[in-house]
Amino acid sequence: MDILKLTFISAFLIFFTNHSTLAINFLETNSMRFESKLYNSDNEDLQLILELLEKGKTAEAMEKLYSLIEEAERLDNNKLVIEGKLLLADVYRENGDYQKSNEIFYEIIPSISTNFAKLQYVFFKKGGNFQLENQIDSAKVNYEKAISFNDNVEKNEDLKAKIYANLSGIYYLKADYENAIENFKIAAEYQKVLGNKEIEAGILNNLGGVYYMQEKYNDALNSFQQAFELVGYGQSDLEKQTRNSSYINIAYAYSALDNFEKAFEYQDKFFSLNDSLSQELKYKEIAEIESKYNVATKEKEAEIEKTKRLKAEYLSYGLGLAILLLLSGIYSLYKVYKLNKKNYKLQINQKQLIHKSKIEKLKSDSQSKILVATLDGGLEERKKIASVLHDNVSALLSAANLHLYASKKQLIGNMPIEIDKTQKIILEASEKIRDLSHKLISSVLLKFGLSMAVQDLCEKSSNSTIQLKSDSKNIGRFEQNFEIKMFNIINELVNNILKHSSADNGVIKLEQLNGQLQVVVFDNGKGFDINKIEEKSGIGLSQVDARINALNGLININPTDAGTRIFISVPIVY
């Protein structure tokens, strides 16, 4: 029963990190609706720039925006200058240049020193920029500065709610849970006044998460249930997603309270709704494809009808004139001849393409075999070098150190300083030899096997910006070269997560099933375009693909905007 409880809690921590991040991003996204009200809607040029940005024509919009600001400065139109720079700062922000965005906000502040509404907005956006750069202390200072204008700004409850919600996230990151709870409650109250039930429910889910971190499980359960009651059984996408979050949160809370019957009940609700949401998405995709197919079919039918109508007209004219019928017949024969000739050329070209495709496949297979052979050769060399370093060089250094130690015991009186220095140099060399040996072939892998090596890799790769976890099921010891190859594949995928995903959570699952080693690697990062990756043919993924093919396995990569999931299945070598 304790093992089951631990599994629930582990899953919750991953979920809560994701959920709190989504909540903050949601508020930032909605703040863009508020930002549009700060721009001068009466200015046609500014409206044109906003339309260009909405269409994704950023370069053209930026060119026009800079020209607008320069013209406004020349005419001393301070109001338009401010509106233009506010938009410019937001454009840089949306394109990931947070430092440039904040520089523009600093320029604006002296010009709006008496406009408290705009000051509150600017400090809120500055805080968001710092938060996106993980400078949480600077973000906290700016959010608190934005809150200080509350008494001077009437209404704007929507913006105030977002400030408190983001400040709550900062306190949570700083592990100041009491202040996080206080600010979440304020943000939830604002959303309640505004009638934004879905956003209020999201905040309550985050509030319950903080209670959970404090082990106040009854308070956490109460907060999660309030979130569920707010969205009820609404059918909008946001309501369904929030209800789904509430289900799994309630399950974790009941699990922490040892009420496993209720925990499983809400866990089943979560999985059922999650499967339903996935099925709805699939239906939408199918409906879109079907719609495109129907449109294409109708266009084709219209073209066919048009062709039939033309033929009927030609035939009606031909019935009255025998000569035209004869000419038409001759013309038709000529067209058939030309068409057959064209078809013959197409058949030749098709055969050439098939032949070329086969040649390219042979080249690709040969390159893969060469790459695998190179990797295998490198693996054997690394094992030999690691063995020599560990068994021979390291042993020799240890023996040398022992001789020096024995010599020191025999010396009477003043001992030469060179002996101590030599011992230190030998010790340092031994440490470097051990480190180099471990880098060549993981000592954890050789001693304890693949499961422990992956767990060690996750622990060493985790830091303040990303947490990696491993989960192994029915994993024993396998043939050594097989373990090393699989570890190298997993290591390459982990490096891709660290370098490219911008994720804050990742999980590696290993399971032995029916003679197959199944590996699932997934993260909550930004995903990628699989077609562009294949076009670039990066050496990392090429190595992974070639190694798995050589092991007679398969790999499936599924990138989305919410993260990337990679599935690998390989026959086990014992």
Side-chain angles (χ1 to χ4, degrees):
M1 197 65 75
D2 290 338
I3 296 174
L4 177 61
K5 181 178 178 181
L6 180 62
T7 304
F8 268 112
I9 293 173
S10 174
F12 171 81
L13 293 178
I14 296 171
F15 173 78
F16 177 70
T17 304
N18 295 342
H19 193 272
S20 61
T21 303
L22 288 173
I24 290 171
N25 288 339
F26 177 79
L27 295 177
E28 290 290 340
T29 303
N30 277 271
S31 69
M32 289 300 291
R33 300 177 187 170
F34 178 83
E35 291 162 27
S36 65
K37 296 178 182 178
L38 291 178
Y39 305 139
N40 185 357
S41 60
D42 295 329
N43 186 278
E44 295 180 357
D45 292 333
L46 196 60
Q47 286 301 310
L48 174 61
I49 292 168
L50 288 169
E51 291 173 6
L52 289 172
L53 290 171
E54 289 175 358
K55 294 177 182 177
K57 299 180 180 180
T58 306
E60 184 180 352
M62 289 285 282
E63 182 179 352
K64 290 183 179 297
L65 184 54
Y66 271 111
S67 298
L68 182 143
I69 294 171
E70 290 176 1
E71 181 65 12
E73 288 176 339
R74 187 181 67 82
L75 299 173
D76 291 330
N77 188 342
N78 189 52
K79 181 180 179 182
L80 186 56
V81 170
I82 293 171
E83 305 298 357
K85 288 187 175 181
L86 282 171
L87 179 56
L88 183 61
D90 281 332
V91 173
Y92 277 114
R93 171 195 178 88
E94 291 300 313
N95 286 275
D97 194 343
Y98 308 119
Q99 184 176 351
K100 182 66 175 178
S101 178
N102 273 347
E103 288 176 2
I104 297 171
F105 282 133
Y106 281 121
E107 294 175 9
I108 295 171
I109 289 174
S111 303
I112 59 173
S113 58
T114 58
N115 190 329
F116 298 112
K118 279 191 171 64
L119 282 171
Q120 186 174 55
Y121 168 82
V122 167
F123 281 103
F124 167 64
K125 299 301 285 186
K126 281 179 59 192
N129 285 338
F130 283 121
Q131 186 170 352
L132 289 168
E133 288 191 312
N134 292 321
Q135 299 182 34
I136 60 175
D137 288 325
S138 297
K140 177 176 175 289
V141 169
N142 279 274
Y143 288 144
E144 289 174 342
K145 183 67 175 178
I147 288 174
S148 70
F149 296 108
N150 277 358
D151 293 338
N152 302 103
V153 178
E154 295 182 1
K155 298 182 179 180
N156 282 356
E157 284 79 8
D158 187 43
L159 178 60
K160 293 173 184 177
K162 292 163 190 171
I163 298 171
Y164 279 108
N166 284 7
L167 184 56
S168 302
I170 295 296
Y171 280 122
Y172 169 75
L173 293 174
K174 294 172 73 67
D176 187 350
Y177 298 128
E178 292 301 327
N179 274 321
I181 289 170
E182 179 183 351
N183 283 276
F184 270 135
K185 287 181 177 179
I186 296 172
E189 191 61 30
Y190 271 116
Q191 295 297 349
K192 183 176 182 180
V193 171
L194 291 167
N196 295 331
K197 291 184 178 181
E198 294 86 356
I199 303 177
E200 182 186 357
I203 293 172
L204 287 173
N205 266 326
N206 285 345
L207 175 60
V210 178
Y211 280 130
Y212 192 100
M213 296 296 291
Q214 293 183 306
E215 299 183 353
K216 297 179 179 180
Y217 301 125
N218 283 312
D219 291 336
L221 178 60
N222 182 51
S223 186
F224 293 148
Q225 288 175 333
Q226 288 181 41
F228 170 72
E229 289 170 2
L230 279 170
V231 295
Y233 294 94
Q235 294 304 303
S236 71
D237 290 343
L238 182 56
E239 287 172 327
K240 289 180 181 179
Q241 291 168 4
T242 305
R243 180 163 64 255
N244 208 29
S245 301
S246 299
Y247 280 154
I248 193 64
N249 285 349
I250 291 172
Y252 296 142
Y254 274 125
S255 174
L257 292 168
D258 293 332
N259 189 342
F260 297 107
E261 182 178 354
K262 280 289 187 181
F264 278 116
E265 176 186 344
Y266 279 91
Q267 180 183 252
D268 288 341
K269 289 182 178 181
F270 165 76
F271 285 134
S272 297
L273 182 54
N274 202 43
D275 291 342
S276 175
L277 290 173
S278 299
Q279 193 64 36
E280 284 183 15
L281 180 60
K282 186 181 293 184
Y283 286 153
K284 288 180 181 177
E285 292 175 350
I286 293 172
E288 183 178 351
I289 294 171
E290 185 177 4
S291 175
K292 291 180 180 178
Y293 172 77
N294 289 336
V295 170
T297 302
K298 288 180 180 179
E299 289 177 352
K300 187 175 181 180
E301 289 175 351
E303 188 66 27
I304 292 171
E305 288 298 325
K306 182 179 178 181
T307 303
K308 288 180 178 179
R309 188 168 58 253
L310 289 174
K311 286 183 178 180
E313 290 177 359
Y314 291 146
L315 288 173
S316 63
Y317 294 143
L319 289 174
L321 300 170
I323 296 175
L324 291 178
L325 180 61
L326 179 61
L327 292 175
S328 297
I330 295 171
Y331 177 74
S332 297
L333 290 173
Y334 173 74
K335 290 294 290 182
V336 169
Y337 167 75
K338 294 289 289 183
L339 182 61
N340 288 335
K341 188 176 180 181
K342 185 177 181 181
N343 287 337
Y344 178 71
K345 288 182 179 179
L346 288 173
Q347 289 175 358
I348 293 175
N349 290 336
Q350 186 177 13
K351 290 179 180 179
Q352 290 176 343
L353 287 172
I354 293 172
H355 181 66
K356 185 177 180 181
S357 177
K358 290 180 179 179
I359 293 174
E360 291 297 327
K361 187 177 185 303
L362 289 172
K363 287 182 179 179
S364 177
D365 292 343
S366 299
Q367 289 173 351
S368 295
K369 290 178 181 178
I370 292 170
L371 179 58
V372 171
T374 303
L375 293 173
D376 288 342
L379 175 61
E380 291 301 322
E381 285 299 316
R382 288 167 66 181
K383 287 175 63 178
K384 289 179 182 177
I385 294 171
S387 177
V388 170
L389 290 174
H390 184 269
D391 298 336
N392 297 330
V393 179
S394 182
L396 290 171
L397 289 172
S398 297
N401 189 43
L402 288 174
H403 285 308
L404 283 174
Y405 181 78
S407 299
K408 287 171 65 177
K409 291 291 185 179
Q410 295 176 4
L411 290 175
I412 301 173
N414 293 330
M415 186 181 303
I417 191 173
E418 286 78 5
I419 291 180
D420 285 333
K421 288 185 176 180
T422 303
Q423 272 196 308
K424 290 180 180 179
I425 292 170
I426 290 174
L427 287 173
E428 183 179 351
S430 296
E431 291 176 359
K432 289 184 177 180
I433 290 296
R434 283 196 297 271
D435 291 343
L436 180 57
S437 175
H438 181 72
K439 288 180 180 178
L440 290 170
I441 298 292
S442 169
S443 60
V444 177
L445 178 66
L446 297 178
K447 291 180 181 179
F448 304 108
L450 183 61
S451 177
M452 294 300 294
V454 172
Q455 182 178 340
D456 180 64
L457 174 65
C458 290
E459 290 174 356
K460 289 180 179 178
S461 301
S462 296
N463 52 48
S464 60
T465 60
I466 185 171
Q467 290 294 317
L468 295 175
K469 295 187 178 181
S470 68
D471 181 16
S472 299
K473 184 177 180 181
N474 196 26
I475 299 298
R477 292 305 304 267
F478 309 127
E479 193 269 332
Q480 190 179 80
N481 280 346
F482 175 76
E483 288 186 331
I484 293 173
K485 291 174 182 178
M486 291 307 300
F487 179 78
N488 288 339
I489 289 171
I490 294 170
N491 189 37
E492 181 63 35
L493 297 176
V494 168
N495 286 336
N496 285 342
I497 292 175
L498 298 175
K499 292 179 181 178
H500 309 300
S501 72
S502 300
D504 54 23
N505 275 292
V507 178
I508 301 169
K509 293 186 176 181
L510 306 176
E511 183 176 2
Q512 182 179 193
L513 186 65
N514 298 328
Q516 298 279 325
L517 176 61
Q518 295 186 351
V519 183
V520 179
V521 180
F522 59 87
D523 62 74
N524 66 341
K526 61 186 179 181
F528 59 88
D529 188 335
I530 188 68
N531 295 321
K532 291 183 179 179
I533 293 295
E534 289 177 352
E535 289 173 4
K536 291 182 180 178
S537 293
I539 189 64
L541 285 179
S542 296
Q543 287 184 0
V544 170
D545 191 54
R547 180 70 77 192
I548 291 171
N549 286 334
L551 293 171
N552 297 318
L554 60 89
I555 180 172
N556 177 262
I557 303 175
N558 183 24
T560 68
D561 292 339
T564 300
R565 183 182 186 276
I566 300 175
F567 172 78
I568 298 171
S569 182
V570 177
I572 296 173
V573 180
Y574 294 96

